[in-house]
Structure formats: C-alpha cells, structure tokens
Amino acid sequence: MRLVSFEGGFGRVEDDSVVPMGPDLMSYLDTGRADEGDRFPLDMSALKAPVRSPQKVVCIGLNYKDHAVETG
C-alpha cells in the first residue's frame, strides 16, 4: 500500500488516483481506523510530506553490520 498526505488529509494510491482515508496519517497508524472518501485523480492535489513533524529519523547504511562489529 502506498500512502500519501495532501491538503486536507491522507490516503492510499490506487492506479492513478487517491482514495482518501482520513484527516491524519499518524492517527491512522496509531488506531488502524480509516474513513474512506471519494477517490480523486492523483495529479489533482499537491502531495505533502507523509509525516509532517517526525520526532526522529532513523537511517541505516549498507555498512551497518561492519560498523557494528567495528565498534563492538
């Protein structure tokens, strides 16, 4: 499933359209509940960052295992 945020909420991408699922992606991830709306073309809305104010960003590089061994 591909999730997107847009002005007024978030939804999932199906083919070339967005199916609105609610006002806030983080609430959906927390509860798993979605309020589906009428789909609209993907190019009809400016997409926004999926998570607007992340508390942290976690990155893992390709050399993670070697670095973990190196640092003990």
Side-chain angles (χ1 to χ4, degrees):
M1 180 180 341
R2 295 183 301 162
L3 299 176
V4 295
S5 291
F6 53 88
E7 186 63 42
F10 84 100
R12 71 178 179 276
V13 176
E14 291 184 357
D15 299 319
D16 291 333
S17 61
V18 175
V19 178
M21 295 174 64
D24 179 72
L25 175 60
M26 294 306 293
S27 295
Y28 169 72
L29 294 175
D30 187 41
T31 65
R33 283 182 273 151
D35 300 318
E36 293 194 9
D38 295 330
R39 68 177 53 222
F40 59 87
L42 181 59
D43 61 1
M44 295 245 342
S45 182
L47 301 182
K48 296 185 171 202
V51 179
R52 294 183 186 170
S53 299
Q55 294 180 359
K56 64 176 125 175
V57 176
V58 178
C59 300
I60 298 176
L62 295 175
N63 65 342
Y64 180 77
K65 182 178 178 186
D66 293 337
H67 183 68
V69 169
E70 175 183 292
T71 60

